[in-house]
Amino acid sequence: MARYIEKDRAAVRVSEPGRDPMDGFFALAPTTPLRDGPETILDLLNSKQRVVPFIHGEDRTVLLLTRLNIDWVMAGPGVDRDHVCPRNYIVTREERVQVSFLDGRVIEGLIQMELPEDFNRASDFLNGTDDFFPLVTRLGTLIVNKARVRETLVFETSPRPAVQNAAAASAAQPAVRDSARG
């Protein structure tokens, strides 16, 4: 027998192709098997669910949105940060980018990446397994669907990973010492 789980409502704005953005709510679980804490919008959008229930309009109509057809989602005002991205999402790098969607819309912002030490480029991050990623814009944090992005313009060149920088520095030091000896 199915049991009812009380969910937390998170106000969101959802953008899909060919529609004006819609305001409504996602229902988020109070806990998640992924870690301690509540389910987040990012968790929900990166889940394996094919459809995501979206509570819309004054009459609270439930629309079942095809998850991979969503362009982006923005948390509404007053939504707790713990309901947007997981607490344990540690930003190790940020890159200023311009994201162009399949329908021609363009949004600028900061990709906040959680990457291991030996990866540090936006391409490394965007090639990861998650379908959605956070993009901090002047209007708020968008959760963007990678599959709905045509291209991403990176404004600055990425530095070498810290591991490569350390290896390059240690490899260069003996050569400098040897040349100083004469």
Side-chain angles (χ1 to χ4, degrees):
M1 176 182 223
R3 66 176 225 248
Y4 181 79
I5 298 174
E6 193 70 37
K7 302 240 178 155
D8 298 326
R9 285 190 176 183
V12 293
R13 173 167 282 175
V14 175
S15 176
E16 292 184 302
R19 283 185 163 169
D20 289 335
M22 302 178 292
D23 292 325
F25 299 91
F26 281 152
L28 303 174
T31 61
T32 176
L34 303 173
R35 74 189 118 52
D36 288 337
E39 179 181 42
T40 67
I41 296 168
L42 187 61
D43 293 332
L44 178 67
L45 294 173
N46 278 322
S47 72
K48 298 300 177 200
Q49 294 182 55
R50 291 187 189 275
V51 296
V52 178
F54 177 68
I55 305 158
H56 175 64
E58 304 248 343
D59 62 352
R60 303 288 192 229
T61 303
V62 176
L63 297 174
L64 298 178
L65 302 177
T66 303
R67 184 177 60 84
L68 293 179
N69 195 48
I70 295 171
D71 284 339
W72 55 260
V73 172
M74 181 187 299
V79 173
D80 191 285
R81 174 86 174 123
D82 287 349
H83 281 109
V84 179
C85 289
R87 285 183 209 150
N88 66 344
Y89 188 92
I90 298 175
V91 177
T92 58
R93 177 146 173 73
E94 293 181 332
E95 283 201 45
R96 199 167 59 89
V97 297
Q98 176 180 288
V99 174
S100 299
F101 290 88
L102 295 173
D103 65 3
R105 287 178 294 158
V106 175
I107 298 175
E108 285 189 20
L110 281 175
I111 292 180
Q112 293 190 322
M113 300 175 275
E114 179 181 44
L115 290 168
E117 258 186 49
D118 53 334
F119 292 98
N120 74 328
R121 299 173 304 198
S123 60
D124 296 329
F125 179 71
L126 294 174
N127 279 316
T129 58
D130 286 342
D131 294 323
F132 288 79
F133 67 93
L135 179 71
V136 178
T137 72
R138 62 184 177 80
L139 299 174
T141 301
L142 296 183
I143 307 297
V144 175
N145 182 352
K146 293 178 191 176
R148 304 293 308 155
V149 173
R150 183 181 68 229
E151 64 188 24
T152 302
L153 171 67
V154 179
F155 288 108
E156 291 94 21
T157 303
S158 297
R160 291 180 180 211
V163 173
Q164 284 184 353
N165 284 340
S170 66
Q173 282 184 339
V176 171
R177 287 186 192 131
D178 290 343
S179 65
R181 288 184 187 168

